[in-house]
Amino acid sequence: MIKKEMIAMLLAGGQGSRLGVLTSKVAKPAVAFGGKYKIIDFPLSNCINSGVDTVGVLTQYQPLRLNAHIGIGIPWDLDRNIGGVTVLPPYEKSENTDWYTGTANAIFQNLDYMDSYNPDYVLILSGDHIYKMDYEIMLDYHKANNADVTIAVMPVPIEEASRFGVVVADGENRITEFQEKPEKPKSNLASMGIYIFSWPVLKEALIKLKDQPSCDFGKHVIPYCHEKGDRIFAYEFNGYWKDVGTLHSYWEANMELIDIVPEFNLYEEYWKIYTKSDVLPPQYISDKARVDRSIVGEGCEVYGTVCNSVVSANVIVEEGAEVYDSIIMQGTVIKKGTKLNKAIVAEGVVIGENCTVGVGEYADSKLSEKVYNCDLTVIGENSEIPDGVTIGKNTAIVGKTVAEDYQDGKLESGDYIIKAGEI
């Protein structure tokens, strides 16, 4: 094979359990974002925009839809005879067959793939962040410092730093200390989970740590390289970057797209975000419809009201239906007279007539306070809601529900309905 200067390894196997019912049947990187895209489109687009044309995508949890979306990489110009995009699921080996048990273990299990390109550098990425970054500039920084490892970091408010892996750097940006989610952080520079390794350094570390259970970059590989005396540098990034790993951050990032001057701009000509696009008819907005400050996808039919919302393709909003501050995914139907407020509705959902969704006082979740802890209503894919029901805040629904599932026609705030076999 032809030698590549830098290849990328994109970790896309995560379940994304903090997105609750949105990821019950799909991996987090394949979740819809911005009305048109999947989350994984952003790091993939960053790669091709940065001149990185060889990308291994490591999948594991519910990979079917993610694999179909990536295909042979045509939308990102990654359908190459040499390089391009390669999907790398776990596979059976003659000995020590195992699932991917940690971020570094997943990379270790694909040493042969990386070796086949004999790269000078390996770029490690996560498949579940929303951002634009030129990795070529980060590589230039890595070379200029004669670094063994470069970690992308970004400043965060010091009061939030305990949620992240934190690095302490000297005046030359060489990293002197790591703190993994510290109670008392010594710095506000948070690791973004984006690394450039010089290939011999990465290979040696992965082989040395191969027996480490659930081997992880932040917990094991980086500290090992540090103890060994490798040159590790912090590359400070000051652009937009969002981990959309919780329901609130996912909703918030979508809502930021429809600001009058969005902090994260999808419309820039010089840094396009590419995606697999279906051939769809144009959207239709009727004379009785009202659409304010919203993204509305192709193939949609809007006869009602859509305000401050992100609506994916092929959604139908019937006459008299009202959608506020919500994310509606592909193929959903919202029937006459129904009102939605602060809802995340997954693909293929049918919400019956004259329903009221997202009302009442907030209440803690009976399902999982760790996952459902904001005033959003979350409806899983292919669910059905019967006519005339009222659904409170901080609720979750999955499956084809009927009127009998709702006590007195209501689902109280904090409650949930999950039909058997749906999760």
Side-chain angles (χ1 to χ4, degrees), residues 339-398:
K339 291 181 172 61
L340 262 74
N341 184 52
K342 288 191 78 171
I344 303 176
V345 182
E347 298 181 13
V349 171
V350 177
I351 302 178
E353 295 182 6
N354 300 314
C355 296
T356 309
V357 178
V359 293
E361 294 292 317
Y362 172 88
D364 289 338
S365 174
K366 297 178 183 176
L367 179 58
S368 169
E369 286 187 37
K370 185 179 176 184
V371 175
Y372 304 94
N373 52 19
C374 51
D375 55 356
L376 295 165
T377 301
V378 187
I379 302 175
E381 66 178 57
N382 299 322
S383 297
E384 291 182 10
I385 312 293
D387 294 346
V389 299
T390 299
I391 298 167
K393 296 178 178 180
N394 200 27
T395 50
I397 298 171
V398 189

Side-chain angles (χ1 to χ4, degrees), residues 41-317:
D41 291 337
F42 294 86
L44 278 177
S45 298
N46 287 340
C47 283
I48 201 63
N49 288 333
S50 303
V52 180
D53 64 3
T54 304
V55 185
V57 181
L58 287 74
T59 62
Q60 180 158 287
Y61 172 80
Q62 296 279 20
L64 184 63
R65 206 171 308 169
L66 190 61
N67 294 355
H69 180 70
I70 294 168
I72 60 170
I74 291 172
W76 306 272
D77 192 27
L78 287 168
D79 52 326
R80 307 289 177 102
N81 288 332
I82 297 165
V85 68
T86 306
V87 175
L88 300 168
Y91 59 94
E92 192 163 348
K93 296 170 267 299
S94 56
E95 56 183 47
N96 296 331
T97 291
D98 205 352
W99 288 102
Y100 296 153
T101 58
T103 55
N105 173 264
I107 302 294
F108 168 74
Q109 290 197 41
N110 289 283
L111 273 181
D112 289 347
Y113 169 80
M114 294 182 286
D115 245 344
S116 69
Y117 292 104
N118 189 25
D120 295 320
Y121 309 100
V122 177
L123 171 67
I124 309 291
L125 302 170
S126 174
D128 52 11
H129 298 148
I130 304 296
Y131 66 110
K132 296 176 185 176
M133 181 192 273
D134 190 337
Y135 304 132
E136 200 166 15
I137 296 172
M138 184 175 170
L139 178 59
D140 290 342
Y141 178 89
H142 181 87
K143 292 176 185 174
N145 284 299
N146 193 26
D148 295 308
V149 187
T150 299
I151 303 174
V153 299
M154 70 182 303
V156 296
I158 193 72
E159 59 271 15
E160 290 182 26
S162 59
R163 295 197 296 118
F164 299 93
V166 170
V167 304
V168 180
D170 64 17
E172 296 179 338
N173 285 332
R174 185 165 179 176
I175 293 173
T176 57
E177 194 177 339
F178 297 92
Q179 294 181 293
E180 185 65 30
K181 297 183 180 176
E183 278 185 36
K184 294 181 179 177
K186 296 181 182 178
S187 156
N188 71 329
L189 289 178
S191 169
M192 297 168 66
I194 299 167
Y195 312 102
I196 291 178
F197 282 86
S198 296
W199 172 229
V201 173
L202 176 62
K203 187 175 181 179
E204 190 270 337
L206 292 174
I207 292 169
K208 188 77 176 176
L209 296 169
K210 69 180 191 295
D211 296 324
Q212 171 70 46
S214 303
C215 191
D216 183 84
F217 279 100
K219 291 177 186 167
H220 306 113
V221 174
I222 302 294
Y224 169 79
C225 292
H226 187 250
E227 284 168 25
K228 196 159 67 77
D230 288 334
R231 290 173 61 82
I232 306 175
F233 282 80
Y235 172 74
E236 191 170 323
F237 178 71
N238 286 293
Y240 181 97
W241 178 82
K242 198 112 181 177
D243 179 349
V244 289
T246 66
L247 288 168
H248 185 263
S249 66
Y250 173 77
W251 176 84
E252 190 176 63
N254 273 274
M255 292 299 109
E256 284 171 352
L257 297 176
I258 50 180
D259 287 343
I260 294 169
V261 181
E263 191 179 346
F264 187 74
N265 190 348
L266 293 173
Y267 305 97
E268 286 172 334
E269 190 63 31
Y270 77 96
W271 199 272
K272 290 182 178 175
I273 305 299
Y274 301 95
T275 189
K276 175 177 176 276
S277 292
D278 297 322
V279 178
L280 296 170
Q283 59 182 229
Y284 174 74
I285 312 291
S286 85
D287 60 338
K288 294 180 181 174
R290 178 185 153 215
V291 179
D292 289 338
R293 206 177 136 193
S294 296
I295 292 171
V296 180
E298 295 173 298
C300 287
E301 298 175 32
V302 181
Y303 303 91
T305 298
V306 177
C307 290
N308 210 51
S309 295
V310 175
V311 180
S312 293
N314 285 338
V315 169
I316 298 173
V317 180

